[in-house]
Amino acid sequence: MDKRLQRLRAADRLSAPTVIQALLPTMTQQRGDRLLGQDLALTAGFGRTATGHQLAVLGVDRGIDIASRRQKNGGALTVPGYRTALRVVAHAAKFGWPVVSLINMPGADASPQSERYGQSQAIADLIASMGQLPVPNIVVFLGEGHSGGALAFANANRIIMLDDALFNVASPEAVTAILHGQQTISEAIDLLPMTATALYERGLVDQVIDHQDQRLVATINQMIETQLATLASSPASVLIGQREAKFQHFLQSWPLN
């Protein structure tokens, strides 16, 4: 396996629950979609930061060992996960709370059961809801974020990535399979703009954080609060237009010669 992927998928990788615990000393979790059940890969809810700001948070986590990774489906969200996220986003819009998403996931669950329960619709609904949020939203990529499953959380005003994180329409393995093995997994990572550096150069990513920062959790949370402060006075129309403009600009700049 490519060394970059080994580092991203390591058991000791910084997790969304760890960042959320530091960001929100007090938090009320939302569990389940009130229909199909709970997706253990998703940490979702509301809380107040140490500086007194009320936030909604969504965190996707792979797990730290074999048992937890089985419980969390390796971070591949199912329909209940996306519908639970929709519940949180709806509450945030109603009460005027910014939304912060923390992502490390291979993509959405692609099992027949998820397809039967409307996985594609659930993802589309979350993409649309994120895009129309009248409050600021920020996404932080702690590891991997692939396919529409990750894009559902990334329709945001600000995108922050750790410098070794990946964000793409498909995982490196999927890109290799689509190209029928014409590229190795390592070559696939560099073939499409999925690294933090490549996406920053194209204007899609707003800030990149050194994953070796000795105060990594504190740095991430400080950056989140700083970005939210810059967006706090923006009206809903500006926030909505900003999200669309971000991805339109990316499309116009790709490929970058």
Side-chain angles (χ1 to χ4, degrees):
M1 181 186 292
D2 183 90
K3 290 183 178 179
R4 289 171 288 185
L5 292 181
Q6 287 182 337
R7 186 167 63 243
L8 289 174
R9 298 171 185 176
D12 60 352
R13 185 74 184 182
L14 178 64
S15 69
T18 299
V19 179
I20 291 172
Q21 187 175 17
L23 180 64
L24 301 178
T26 58
M27 178 182 171
T28 300
Q29 287 199 41
Q30 298 290 298
R31 296 182 172 90
D33 66 344
R34 297 180 175 176
L35 182 63
L36 296 175
Q38 181 181 1
D39 190 324
L40 295 177
L42 180 72
T43 301
F46 315 96
R48 195 176 297 276
T49 67
T51 55
H53 296 104
Q54 188 76 34
L55 298 179
V57 292
L58 301 167
V60 185
D61 179 47
R62 292 175 179 268
I64 60 174
D65 52 31
I66 293 176
S68 63
R69 290 193 174 191
R70 284 177 177 171
Q71 286 183 327
K72 297 182 177 184
N73 197 29
L77 277 192
T78 58
V79 174
Y82 287 105
R83 289 180 173 163
T84 302
L86 278 165
R87 285 183 60 203
V88 171
V89 169
H91 283 303
K94 180 178 180 180
F95 294 107
W97 298 333
V99 178
V100 175
S101 301
L102 299 133
I103 305 300
N104 185 10
M105 61 186 298
D109 180 61
S111 69
Q113 183 179 27
S114 285
E115 292 301 320
R116 185 163 59 249
Y117 286 135
Q119 179 77 296
S120 59
Q121 186 63 57
I123 292 171
D125 288 344
L126 185 56
I127 292 174
S129 294
M130 283 288 197
Q132 293 300 309
L133 264 176
V135 293
N137 61 343
I138 292 174
V139 63
V140 182
F141 285 91
L142 302 175
E144 291 181 274
H146 302 302
S147 85
L151 181 60
F153 297 92
N155 194 1
N157 296 108
R158 295 288 186 272
I159 299 177
I160 301 169
M161 293 181 71
L162 299 192
D163 61 350
D164 60 346
L166 300 176
F167 173 34
N168 193 39
V169 69
S171 69
E173 291 91 342
V175 173
T176 301
I178 291 169
L179 296 175
H180 303 289
Q182 297 178 41
Q183 303 282 339
T184 65
I185 291 177
S186 296
E187 290 170 339
I189 293 175
D190 298 316
L191 179 65
L192 297 176
M194 64 175 76
T195 64
T197 299
L199 295 174
Y200 179 79
E201 290 174 351
R202 289 160 173 80
L204 186 66
V205 170
D206 298 282
Q207 288 187 294
V208 177
I209 302 174
D210 182 358
H211 75 281
Q212 295 180 315
D213 189 325
Q214 296 300 310
R215 299 179 65 254
L216 183 56
V217 173
T219 299
I220 291 171
N221 290 340
Q222 182 180 9
M223 196 167 290
I224 288 171
E225 294 222 44
T226 299
Q227 289 293 348
L228 288 175
T230 65
L231 296 167
S233 60
S234 300
S237 59
V238 172
L239 293 172
I240 293 169
Q242 191 178 78
R243 297 175 193 123
E244 181 177 358
K246 174 183 285 291
F247 284 92
Q248 290 289 353
H249 173 77
F250 173 71
L251 290 174
Q252 293 169 6
S253 65
W254 180 48
L256 181 66
N257 296 321

